Amino acid sequence: KKKKKKKTKILLLMMLGSKLGMTQIFDEDGLRVPVTVLSAGPCHVTQLLKDNNSVQIGYKEIPDKAVSHSKKKYFEKLQISPLKHLKEFKVSSIDDYEVGQKITIEQFEVGQTVQVTSKSIGKGFAGTIKRHHFGRGPMAHGSKNHRAPGSIGACATPGRVFPGKKMPGRLGGKTVTVKNLKIVDIDHENNLLVLKGSVPGKKG
């Protein structure tokens, strides 16, 4: 029997934005809810890709001097201002979009759950205690193993360190996706989305 191919998830609602920070609000029952405020859009459709049924959108207008000559001519051809961020999204049909189309947060509703992908805060080179939550050794005077990682493998057999071994290294600065974040409030005038919970990454 032939194995069935897994269906790829199609993103119907798409938006680029930046994180403004976290705060708290009170719901109807008087309970405190931690929320993250995102500045979402407005975005512009910059390209339609028929091969993989995707739409490229851009976000955050920048001055002409901040882009290369080729990109400047590219945006002039589209008759839109130069944009800092460009990202492709898969859609059900590209017929619903056209180049230059403006995408705003009007497509979202309070109560919806969204998926947010962002880059986590980079924390530099970290040891095993901070990076993998290892326990430390005795802190007595005679102990020579306070924060050491310990053994990383045997000697002659197998004579190597197994791939994936938890060791010191760079912590953070990776692409992280958080699912099922509920939209608590929407500010259409200022293009703000208020999501329940935290979103990875720094402000801006």
Side-chain angles (χ1 to χ4, degrees), residues 16-195:
L16 294 175
S18 56
K19 178 180 174 180
L20 298 183
M22 289 197 71
T23 183
Q24 59 187 18
I25 61 174
F26 293 89
D27 61 8
E28 298 174 353
D29 300 326
L31 298 175
R32 183 175 61 182
V33 181
V35 295
T36 303
V37 183
L38 302 179
S39 175
C43 301
H44 297 272
V45 177
T46 56
Q47 194 175 4
L48 301 177
L49 304 168
K50 296 181 180 179
D51 297 337
N52 54 358
N53 228 29
S54 300
V55 175
Q56 185 191 68
I57 64 174
Y59 165 70
K60 199 170 186 180
E61 295 184 1
I62 53 177
D64 294 342
K65 64 180 182 180
V67 295
S68 61
H69 180 73
S70 58
K71 281 191 175 181
K72 181 181 177 182
K73 292 295 181 182
Y74 173 72
F75 287 112
E76 285 180 357
K77 187 178 179 181
L78 300 176
Q79 296 181 350
I80 58 176
S81 302
L83 301 170
K84 185 175 183 179
H85 304 286
L86 296 174
K87 182 73 176 177
E88 293 179 12
F89 292 92
K90 282 203 170 189
V91 293
S92 55
S93 175
I94 62 173
D95 299 331
D96 301 331
Y97 303 91
E98 59 182 12
V99 177
Q101 178 181 341
K102 194 175 183 180
I103 301 176
T104 62
I105 59 174
E106 293 178 358
Q107 59 181 334
F108 296 100
E109 297 177 357
V110 175
Q112 280 183 333
T113 55
V114 295
Q115 174 179 309
V116 179
T117 300
S118 59
K119 191 174 183 180
S120 62
I121 296 176
K123 299 181 179 180
F125 193 94
T128 53
I129 293 179
K130 184 176 182 179
R131 192 182 188 207
H132 300 297
H133 310 291
F134 280 16
R136 61 170 175 80
M139 297 304 290
H141 179 69
S143 173
K144 297 183 179 179
N145 174 26
H146 299 310
R147 297 177 65 92
S151 173
I152 59 173
C155 181
T157 306
R160 64 190 179 96
V161 178
F162 287 115
K165 178 67 180 174
K166 293 181 179 180
M167 297 177 70
R170 184 172 292 181
L171 177 62
K174 294 183 178 180
T175 302
V176 182
T177 299
V178 180
K179 298 181 180 180
N180 300 323
L181 292 174
K182 186 178 180 181
I183 300 177
V184 179
D185 193 14
I186 300 176
D187 186 350
H188 293 281
E189 293 183 3
N190 299 313
N191 297 313
L192 299 179
L193 283 178
V194 182
L195 306 180

